Amino acid sequence: KLLLGTLIRVEFLRKLSTFIILGLPIMYEGISQNILPVFSLAGVEVGTHFYWDIGGIKLHGQVFIVSWIACAAILAVTIAGTRSLERIPKGLQSFAEFIFEFIEDIAKNQIHEEEDYRTWLPYIGTLFLFIFASNWCGGLLPLKFIELPAGELAAPTNDINTTVALALLTSLSYFAAGLSKKGIGYFKRYVQPTPVLLPINILEDFTKPLSLSFRLFGNILADELTVAVLVLLVPVIIPLPIMVLGIFASSIQALIFATLSAAYIGEALE
């Protein structure tokens, strides 16, 4: 699984660097020419996709479909668990309270101050629940049996666009947290403890969303590829333990993403 994840990351970065190099303008007889007239990062794809064309904008249809299923599952459990509250929780209410306390502990342990962690608790909780439900939808539901005009249904986190979007939201969040508490003084952190570290501190803010997005994407994609290959080779018994391990690993990935997001926000608030 680790080898597959590494190979996928290397192949993606290789293609991305090739596109960037070929898209750079060249000078010939004083006239700027482009080998590729338009270069868009969105044009880099991993696999095939089922697109919805809405107003000239292409949307990844299979990502939206499974995302809606995951959101519907979260809403269903939330509504059922809070519909008739009791002083002594039981059933779904007990499960809902357990999930809330678990997410609250993540935020509290990383952000520390009560006023600050309660402000960002909804965001941390939304991240964790969405990634957790999305990963489980990809691992438990028989989505592969649903035929689409192109591509196939899978976990939304199996798409690099989804993980990059989530990582960029976290980047915007910790910038917003730092600026809201410290104002312009937040940017002093780039020259602390010494101005010599300015380039490294700036580079760090670019690597955070990259590491968040590629870690989640690579692990989920590698897990689904491993299960798909084993199902083709030995379709009955052997894939089952790998599927169980994949579901466990996908849950850990949701925890890692939410914990790191909370840690980055907590660092910006210090």
Side-chain angles (χ1 to χ4, degrees), residues 22-212:
L22 293 178
L24 293 176
I26 60 173
M27 300 300 295
Y28 179 70
E29 294 181 355
I31 301 175
S32 177
Q33 299 177 348
N34 285 331
I35 296 177
L36 296 178
V38 178
F39 170 73
S40 173
L41 186 59
V44 181
E45 297 185 7
V46 177
T48 58
H49 301 283
F50 170 50
Y51 287 109
W52 291 338
D53 194 343
I54 301 177
I57 300 176
K58 288 186 176 181
L59 303 177
H60 288 191
Q62 75 269 32
V63 173
F64 278 91
I65 292 172
V66 184
S67 295
W68 291 338
I69 294 174
C71 292
I74 295 171
L75 286 175
V77 173
T78 302
I79 294 172
T82 57
R83 184 170 49 184
S84 55
L85 298 178
E86 300 178 3
R87 293 183 61 88
I88 301 178
K90 59 182 180 180
L92 280 178
Q93 180 185 345
S94 178
F95 176 73
E97 291 188 8
F98 168 76
I99 295 298
F100 176 80
E101 291 174 358
F102 179 76
I103 297 171
E104 186 180 35
D105 285 340
I106 295 175
K108 185 186 298 184
N109 291 333
Q110 301 301 326
I111 302 179
H112 305 300
E113 293 187 20
E114 182 173 356
E115 182 180 353
D116 291 332
Y117 90 75
R118 289 191 178 277
T119 300
W120 291 99
L121 181 59
Y123 174 72
I124 303 301
T126 301
L127 273 182
F128 175 79
L129 291 175
F130 176 75
I131 296 173
F132 183 88
S134 297
N135 293 348
W136 273 56
C137 284
L140 290 179
L141 300 182
L143 300 175
K144 307 295 184 184
F145 295 102
I146 302 176
E147 294 186 2
L148 297 176
E152 61 183 11
L153 294 178
T157 46
N158 188 22
D159 190 296
I160 186 65
N161 298 280
T162 304
T163 59
V164 168
L166 294 173
L168 289 177
L169 281 175
T170 293
S171 295
L172 292 176
S173 296
Y174 67 70
F175 275 114
L179 290 173
S180 64
K181 186 169 185 178
K182 303 178 183 178
I184 302 299
Y186 168 74
F187 294 105
K188 291 181 180 179
R189 61 186 291 270
Y190 288 105
V191 293
Q192 293 176 349
T194 171
V196 176
L197 296 178
L198 175 63
I200 298 176
N201 290 332
I202 294 176
L203 182 62
E204 182 184 9
D205 282 337
F206 285 98
T207 58
K208 284 177 180 177
L210 284 175
S211 63
L212 280 174

